[in-house]
Amino acid sequence: MLNDLDLIAAAFVGTPLAGLPVGHGPAGTVIVADVDPDRLREAWRAAEALVPVTGRRPVLVTDDFDDSMRMSSESEPGPSEPELRAFAEAARASEPWLAYRHYGEDDEVVEGELEYYARCIAGVDLTGLVSDVALPVPRPALERALYDRVLADPDLHARVLDSVRFVTQTGYWYTPDSVLLMLLPTGDVRSSGYWVDFYGAETREYQYKLAEVLAQWHDRWDARLVASWGTMLQFQVGRRPAAGDEAWTAAGQLKGLAGNLDLSRWEVAVALAAGDAWFVHNRP
């Protein structure tokens, strides 16, 4: 792992990060300042490609809401190697999806509510698709029936996808006014959760669970954390879930982590199979 700021800056030559100020950040991190908000993905990709050289995983952060997120001329110690190993082991042993579970998974749909759950965000009414479902019914069962029947109708699927695909495109991502690139003092995905600031992981126990989510999504979907804006996380996904069981499972996990994602699980599942930019929003 590179700790010398001059060597890190030298590694950026020929990339969108070339010439940007480089300094020490909190807890052993390195901060690259003045990242162009219009070139976020290019900056992150450059740093991600250099992980074999720097030994540091990159994540975009902002000081718009956090005065402690600032560059320093002095290095601040991070966790010791034994402490970081213990963190990663605790993360591996955690059960994130028992905690990150959307409250709607426990809902029951009763008479008079069917149209509400079967209406797509863009107004595509699918009530007729599930008019034969006996009520009351657990919400997950109704939504899975909706999802399966949408998949079975190519024309309808195309209409629904056209209305929901924005949630897996970078145009839906948030962009702060001030952008910093934080280089974490580890190349390990699971250990990187130690430094990720997220409203949905405010305690150490939830930090373990979030770290395990990062590792599982990286292994399963090649989902890499691009940005952490406090209440928002943004991921670049290299392997899209296939339509069907894979997309349904991934949609449930995304909804569990993103408490403020205002789409039904079946809509998210439709979108996930057609996009490579995941957005997580969890706010007070």
Side-chain angles (χ1 to χ4, degrees):
M1 181 179 66
L2 293 184
N3 292 310
D4 186 288
L5 299 184
D6 291 336
L7 291 178
I8 292 173
F12 294 153
V13 172
T15 78
L17 300 168
L20 296 183
V22 179
H24 297 288
T29 63
V30 169
I31 294 288
V32 183
D34 299 341
V35 176
D36 185 348
D38 294 326
R39 301 189 69 192
L40 296 184
R41 293 178 76 193
E42 293 93 332
W44 173 83
R45 282 173 175 166
E48 178 75 4
L50 287 169
V51 170
V53 175
T54 65
R56 292 173 173 269
R57 301 215 70 85
V59 59
L60 295 167
V61 297
T62 182
D63 56 358
D64 281 356
F65 322 114
D66 186 356
D67 291 338
S68 67
M69 190 64 65
R70 60 181 55 152
M71 183 184 296
S72 171
S73 59
E74 299 294 329
S75 176
E76 179 182 315
S80 65
E81 289 189 15
E83 183 181 358
L84 196 56
R85 282 198 301 271
F87 177 91
E89 289 169 4
R92 192 188 302 274
S94 71
E95 297 287 347
W97 305 119
L98 296 180
Y100 289 124
R101 186 172 179 275
H102 194 268
Y103 59 86
E105 294 289 294
D106 297 321
D107 289 348
E108 188 172 67
V109 181
V110 299
E111 293 288 345
E113 295 182 336
L114 190 62
E115 183 177 351
Y116 172 79
Y117 288 104
R119 184 172 292 277
C120 182
I121 190 171
V124 181
D125 188 355
L126 307 180
T127 307
L129 283 185
V130 287
S131 58
D132 61 330
V133 174
L135 301 177
V137 63
R139 177 176 171 180
L142 176 66
E143 290 208 33
R144 182 61 198 252
L146 278 164
Y147 179 53
D148 288 342
R149 294 176 188 187
V150 166
L151 288 182
D153 185 330
D155 291 337
L156 182 58
H157 178 265
R159 289 175 59 203
V160 171
L161 176 59
D162 189 55
S163 70
V164 301
R165 67 189 320 152
F166 69 93
V167 300
T168 53
Q169 297 176 332
T170 56
Y172 187 61
W173 282 6
Y174 173 77
T175 303
D177 294 328
S178 175
V179 180
L180 310 171
L181 179 70
M182 177 180 283
L183 300 175
L184 310 179
T186 182
D188 177 65
V189 173
R190 185 174 280 106
S191 300
S192 69
Y194 182 96
W195 289 270
V196 176
D197 177 30
F198 178 52
Y199 176 73
E202 291 193 297
T203 67
R204 179 62 82 189
E205 290 300 317
Y206 271 85
Q207 284 180 316
Y208 296 148
K209 298 179 191 304
L210 177 61
E212 184 58 19
V213 170
L214 298 181
Q216 288 186 17
W217 281 4
H218 183 274
D219 291 345
R220 186 67 184 88
W221 313 115
D222 189 26
R224 300 167 187 255
L225 181 63
V226 175
S228 172
W229 311 128
T231 60
M232 291 165 279
L233 303 175
Q234 292 166 183
F235 294 83
Q236 183 70 45
V237 179
R239 291 188 295 273
R240 299 176 183 179
D245 290 343
E246 286 189 358
W248 178 254
T249 297
Q253 293 178 353
L254 190 63
K255 286 281 291 181
L257 193 62
N260 296 95
L261 181 58
D262 295 328
L263 287 179
S264 297
R265 181 175 176 179
W266 67 269
E267 294 175 295
V268 176
V270 170
L272 286 183
D276 58 5
W278 291 4
F279 180 79
V280 170
H281 192 194
N282 190 326
R283 57 173 173 76

